[in-house]
Amino acid sequence: GGEGGETPQESTAPTPEEVVKAAENNMREATSIESNMTMDMAMTSDGQTVNMKTNMDMISFTDPMKLKMDMTMDMGEQLGGTQTIQFYADETDGAMTMYMNMMGNWYKQNVPEEQLAQYDTKENLSTYLDSSTGFTEAGTEQVNGEDATKYDGVITGSQMNEVLKASGALDDLEPMLAGTDLDAATIYEDLPDIKMSIWINAEQYPVKYEMDMTDMMQGLMSKVMTTAQAEQEITVDAMKISMTNKNFNNAADFEIPEEAKNATQMQ
């Protein structure tokens, strides 16, 4: 009998949640990946707008871990224009080393694994996806020259802390919170959702990801300003992160340059 909705589903098509979960698992198991990430941030204070655009090209291998990243930060003229940072990391006998080329000089440093996690595409994307809910299918689009299905979702209050930690978006806000009675637990209550989209290809890999944090950051900033009784108004005009991924399990191999390995050890 079909009373009370006991009829088995005719369709065995996976739900959007299941599709995203499967893509996340496939990504986690990938041994290598190439990614490009852009972060656009614009804020206005006292009629002055600051635009900051960050662009990162990354290649990462899992076992043993090694990472290559070329990062360009464009801060706009008033903040000193464009900076380029070249960055490598690797793992030897369980120890993590980070190599960085800034202004033509190489530096190296031993770092705890947690510190490298913020540069790890797979870790970050997993955090974003774990924190997202309410997925709906939103058509097919071309990504990296192939068809991918787009899914839209949201990240709501209780999950925001994790996402903001992973994205690094809060790094500048932390000092502002220090003098207030706001704590991480209450600060995310009643904030607007973060809108996100993920594109999944035929092989079930997450080939593109977008997150629009503008409304949420504006809400957060207003809260901080009010609590800190700040004089000036700060408007968040844009806060967006976009990431594309390709060559899963097939990333271009690379060697860490000798001059990086021979660099001055930083404490």
Side-chain angles (χ1 to χ4, degrees):
E3 287 86 54
E6 293 299 322
T7 322
Q9 288 287 313
E10 290 301 312
S11 150
T12 54
T15 65
E17 251 80 15
E18 288 166 346
V19 173
V20 171
K21 200 73 197 151
E24 184 188 343
N25 288 337
N26 285 342
M27 178 194 64
R28 272 184 173 281
E29 286 170 12
T31 52
S32 65
I33 179 175
E34 291 179 36
S35 310
N36 172 268
M37 183 173 136
T38 57
M39 190 155 144
D40 282 338
M41 199 166 106
M43 288 185 173
T44 303
S45 172
D46 299 333
Q48 285 286 97
T49 299
V50 174
N51 276 310
M52 202 170 117
K53 284 185 175 1
T54 308
N55 185 65
M56 288 192 264
D57 280 311
M58 290 172 281
I59 303 177
S60 61
F61 285 80
T62 305
D63 197 10
M65 190 284 292
K66 67 173 181 173
L67 185 65
K68 176 185 181 184
M69 185 167 87
D70 290 298
M71 181 160 103
T72 308
M73 292 169 75
D74 183 355
M75 316 274 252
E77 287 314 302
Q78 71 266 48
L79 289 181
T82 305
Q83 287 187 349
T84 309
I85 296 172
Q86 226 186 344
F87 177 104
Y88 292 89
D90 68 359
E91 168 193 2
T92 322
D93 303 330
M96 302 283 170
T97 312
M98 188 161 106
Y99 311 86
M100 205 180 271
N101 184 354
M102 295 169 72
M103 320 291 254
N105 292 316
W106 282 102
Y107 304 93
K108 71 177 177 188
Q109 191 176 11
N110 293 334
V111 292
E113 201 170 340
E114 305 78 70
Q115 197 175 328
L116 281 180
Q118 65 174 315
Y119 301 107
D120 185 337
T121 305
K122 298 201 316 188
E123 279 298 314
N124 287 348
L125 202 42
S126 283
T127 302
Y128 300 158
L129 294 179
D130 281 344
S131 308
S132 310
T133 53
F135 288 105
T136 54
E137 196 175 317
T140 305
E141 291 178 16
Q142 288 266 306
V143 180
N144 301 330
E146 59 177 5
D147 280 350
T149 307
K150 180 184 181 187
Y151 295 90
D152 292 334
V154 291
I155 297 167
T156 58
S158 58
Q159 303 288 351
M160 282 182 191
N161 193 12
E162 290 304 310
V163 167
L164 289 173
K165 270 205 284 230
S167 72
L170 270 197
D171 295 354
D172 302 333
L173 270 185
E174 294 283 338
M176 296 166 80
L177 294 181
T180 73
D181 56 7
L182 286 175
D183 67 72
T186 56
I187 194 169
Y188 304 114
E189 286 169 8
D190 312 319
L191 286 179
D193 295 342
I194 294 173
K195 296 187 273 299
M196 57 75 67
S197 300
I198 182 160
W199 287 255
I200 296 171
N201 70 359
E203 282 80 50
Q204 296 252 286
Y205 282 108
V207 288
K208 187 178 176 184
Y209 179 87
E210 271 180 8
M211 183 157 66
D212 187 344
M213 306 164 82
T214 311
D215 295 347
M216 189 279 306
M217 285 301 274
Q218 179 62 67
L220 188 60
M221 193 59 86
S222 304
K223 228 183 223 197
V224 172
M225 290 292 152
T226 308
T227 311
Q229 295 174 342
E231 294 297 307
Q232 85 268 42
E233 264 298 300
I234 293 185
T235 314
V236 179
D237 305 308
M239 178 78 201
K240 295 180 179 177
I241 290 177
S242 175
M243 188 192 288
T244 54
N245 300 309
K246 63 180 184 184
N247 293 343
F248 291 90
N249 301 309
N250 192 27
D253 202 359
F254 62 88
E255 293 297 321
I256 294 174
E258 283 305 311
E259 60 265 37
K261 292 188 164 182
N262 299 330
T264 313
Q265 184 87 28
M266 287 171 73
Q267 292 314 308

